[in-house]
Amino acid sequence: MVEIKHLTKYYGRKAAVKDISFTIEDHEILGFLGPNGAGKSTTLNIICGVIPSTSGTVTINGYNIEDQPVKAKQCIGFLPEIPPVYMDMKVGEYLMFVAGLRGVPASKRKSHIQRVMQRLRIEDVSKRLINNLSKGYKQRVGFAQALIGDPQIIILDEPTVGLDPSQLIEVRNLILDLKRDHSIILSSHILSEISAICDRVVIINHGEIQAIDTIANLESSAKANTVLKLKVQGSSREVARTARSVEGVVSVSNITFVKTGIYTYDVEISDREVRNPLLSALLVNKMDVLEVSEERKSLEQIFVNLVNQPAGKKKSLQDLLEEMEDVNQESASEEPSAEDENGEE
Amino acid sequence: MFSLYKKELQGYFLSPLAYTFIALVMLIFSGFFIWWIFTATSTQVEFQFSYFFYYNILLTTILLIPILTMRAFAEERKNGTEVLLLSSPLSVSKIVLAKFLAVATVLVIAMVLSLIYPLIASIYGYVVIPNLIASYVGYLLYGLAYIALGLLISSFMSTPGLAMLASVAVSLILFFVELMLGSSFLASLPVLSDVLYWFSNQAKFENFTQGFCQLSDLVSYVTEIIVFLLWTIISIEKRRFSRS
């Protein structure tokens, strides 16, 4: 179990991380989510004892990383953003070296490394120079390094960067598999990736926690907004008015001309149930619906909106989403709200 | 710690660095050896340790040791592998010590190989064994002090090339300061010249080449090595605070 309490880190005068607190339970995959420069890597580096914090504590299985670094670091496997591999070593040699570094008994090293290499499917490159490997393989060697010594806590800083789609799925499955006997912290700026494997997610921006919530909550909120792409024959004004008059339609936007009398529309609906009433309303008014396609509001978009919220601590994702909605509506009603906000600042 | 030492030592022999270093040390030894043969007269075939080792150690410390030490921390920093060491259950002092011992081992290997010259000299001429032993002890300590200095400079720098240049520059400055020691100008400033003399590596080394293994010189060299190593540890710990 990892406990992070009131973690703060200043680089000179600039705060990279401000008063962060959260815990990682055993057998849990925690997603650490934020845009680039949000303080993800800094936080992970502090947890691993690579850089010291300005204030606050990190406790790993009861060992404080500052006071008992050796014992705390024995519980951690860390894959940094850039895989920490020596270019002039062979894969097998390198893992052997890491095993020694982590204090794996000499007699067990060989079999242990074999097992880790099997797990990451890098046995076939074990005799090759790391320098000659592709980026994906280097990344996997870096991943293997984090598993050496069977640490209870595995910290992965953007583990899927540079992997091709099939490797991506392999790594995802591996992480899910690791969950059985490890706790995992996983950072990423890609929400869909996190949503695929993480139990809980911490969203961070500008060094502050924006939300801590389960993936289930996150997804259910995201599904609330569905966008229908319609291609309808008829006057654009009429169609828009009819659509807006249907209960449950949030907005009609992005009206584009296709050819005379035919336009496409993006209709945002609050619930999928609204779909049929909407279509029937259009048909009843003699407007031919030529095409319907559904576009779920992408998780990434939600995430982008979340992290772009003005700074301030939020209790839960739900609050955030509601707030976001308010902002959207304000801007939809053509009030110069954005300018007002700037003025206040 | 042993695994890091082993990896470092392997690293020197997997790259051309160690071979280059050893070859150049042998070249310097050979050059001076030939020079000694040319200048030796039939009445004077005693192996001249003071000259032989004086220029030898100067060239080695100024030009060659930076080749070995430049990579130590600068390259780890450049490649991002420093994170691996810092997140491993190994204290910074052990990391520094392992690296120091690895470089020291390369130096010792070069020195052992260089024993061939006194050996040849002993066959055709005359070698004073106590002088030989003392010279080698002095050579080792002098070299270790510069290795520690090189590691310190490497810990300041972000690329090996910079570390090498800076090490050469610092060694040259030290060399010139010690060269000034014999000048009449410094002799007119007794306090300054005394202080510089206490810290002079070359003056101590001269005692060794004369066959004197003085405790004060030994302690002085060992202290120098320890100070540089501690400074390296502090430098790395300090850098952890500012890295991002």
Side-chain angles (χ1 to χ4, degrees), chain B residues 58-73:
Chain B
L58 282 181
L59 285 174
T60 308
T61 50
I62 294 175
L63 297 175
L64 302 188
I65 285 185
I67 296 178
L68 288 183
T69 55
M70 65 176 183
R71 295 207 317 170
F73 296 102

Side-chain angles (χ1 to χ4, degrees), chain A residues 9 11 50-51 73 86, chain B residues 3 76 86 240-241 243:
Chain A
K9 173 74 187 173
Y11 290 124
V50 175
I51 53 177
K73 284 174 185 174
Y86 293 95
Chain B
S3 56
E76 302 261 7
L86 290 177
R240 282 175 60 211
F241 278 89
R243 61 169 292 138

Side-chain angles (χ1 to χ4, degrees), chain A residues 1-2 24-28 60-61 63 71-77 146-155 178-179 181-185:
Chain A
M1 195 173 100
V2 182
I24 299 111
E25 307 292 340
D26 290 341
H27 310 298
E28 182 186 45
I60 291 147
N61 283 349
Y63 303 115
K71 284 196 169 164
K73 284 174 185 174
Q74 263 162 359
C75 310
I76 295 181
L147 300 184
I148 297 276
D150 273 330
Q152 276 169 285
I153 292 132
I154 295 171
I155 297 175
L178 286 171
K179 187 187 165 185
D181 24 40
H182 304 270
S183 316
I184 297 158
I185 309 178

